[in-house]
Amino acid sequence: MAQGPTVAAVTPEARQALPEAVRQGIRAVANKAHMPFDGPQMDLFPNLELIAHFGVGYDAIDVAAASARGIRVTNTPDVLNEDVADLAVAMMLAFSRDIIRGDAWVREGTWASGRELPLNRKMSGARAGIAGMGRIGRAIADRLAAFGMEIHYTSRSEKQTPGWHWHGNDVVSLAGAVDWLVVAVVGGEETRGYVSKEALAALGSDGVVVNIARGSCIDEEALIAALEAREIAGAALDVFYNEPHVDARLVALDTVLLQPHQASATVETRRDMSVLQCDNLAAHLAGRALLTPVN
């Protein structure tokens, strides 16, 4: 779907290294998820008109800086909701039924030697809290409701739901009412440390945190401290502060289930994300309205 000459420059260093004549000619950038793109980088491309981002979260892009320079930003929402929700539920099931250790016991012969896996934790019928009832949060809640779970949630405004419990934007209140706290808020400075030390304390010793949002949405130091002190029962995490370099203290804990930020990583969804990113690029270069504008 090339609309003209293309240049690959993924990192800030690679963009800086491009010849000035090349940078002058660039009108649009296809940005990969989690790759930072700030004002100084935008200034490398004086004729830049569009940053088409691959991913629903666009916190890696300084949207305010883009707007100040007249640069449009797009993302790829909706097409990944179902896969992200699927992984959230999969992690909850894997944590509650000790799936990873059970697999290892069969493979390693532990089960055949006469040892039985300790009794697990029941998930169906428990209380689930969705921190951030946006499109992904709603998809998660719908799935958990099918497990007979009591649904609580935070959001800026109350949503139309089948009798679910709204806690405003008070994540501490939410955490205090549930057994599972699923983090689905958007990333960025506004939600940095959204799940705080106080929220973790309110969740309590039987509570489990599930994060498929951004690592920054949880106070990671407070989370590690709560896990090490057994002040919460555990965590299932697909995202981290300094990913892919995960804090060694999290890796060492047997009460944490870890995933490599793969919530949207299916062939079908990554294809749909790529198509939407390309469609935004094509629309802009053809002078048509953007499909999924951010600013």
Side-chain angles (χ1 to χ4, degrees), residues 75-97:
N75 65 341
T76 60
D78 294 323
V79 294
L80 47 67
N81 297 350
E82 306 305 320
D83 272 346
V84 176
D86 284 352
L87 186 74
V89 176
M91 290 199 299
M92 292 173 69
L93 286 167
F95 182 95
S96 62
R97 300 308 301 267

Side-chain angles (χ1 to χ4, degrees), residues 12-195:
E13 295 75 17
R15 293 164 184 163
Q16 178 73 53
L18 290 173
E20 182 178 355
V22 172
R23 289 190 275 110
Q24 288 272 353
I26 290 176
R27 296 175 54 201
V29 168
N31 196 61
K32 189 161 186 333
H34 323 307
M35 289 296 178
F37 209 117
D38 57 14
Q41 289 186 68
M42 297 173 198
D43 291 338
L44 293 171
F45 308 100
N47 296 306
L48 183 61
E49 301 166 0
L50 174 70
I51 301 171
H53 188 62
F54 181 89
V56 63
Y58 48 85
D59 46 298
I61 299 174
D62 189 335
V63 177
S67 297
R69 291 161 173 78
I71 300 169
R72 302 296 302 278
V73 178
T74 62
N75 65 341
T76 60
D78 294 323
V79 294
L80 47 67
N81 297 350
E82 306 305 320
D83 272 346
V84 176
D86 284 352
L87 186 74
V89 176
M91 290 199 299
M92 292 173 69
L93 286 167
F95 182 95
S96 62
R97 300 308 301 267
D98 212 358
I99 296 293
I100 293 175
R101 182 161 60 148
D103 178 88
W105 278 37
V106 175
R107 292 177 187 276
E108 296 166 2
T110 305
W111 184 38
S113 72
R115 290 185 65 189
E116 292 190 5
L117 200 67
L119 294 178
N120 302 149
R121 171 189 181 125
K122 184 177 181 179
M123 192 178 92
S124 295
R127 300 168 300 165
I130 311 298
M133 187 63 85
R135 289 171 290 214
I136 291 173
R138 180 60 191 245
I140 296 169
D142 286 339
R143 285 159 171 74
L144 297 183
F147 283 86
M149 300 182 81
E150 180 182 297
I151 306 298
H152 297 248
Y153 68 96
T154 59
S155 62
R156 292 188 180 90
S157 59
E158 190 170 7
K159 307 295 184 181
Q160 287 189 329
T161 69
W164 299 345
H165 306 277
W166 179 47
H167 292 256
N169 201 32
D170 187 348
V171 71
V172 176
S173 169
L174 176 71
V178 300
D179 308 299
W180 296 85
L181 181 62
V182 184
V183 186
V185 292
V186 298
E189 288 304 313
E190 185 177 347
T191 57
R192 183 171 294 278
Y194 181 74
V195 177

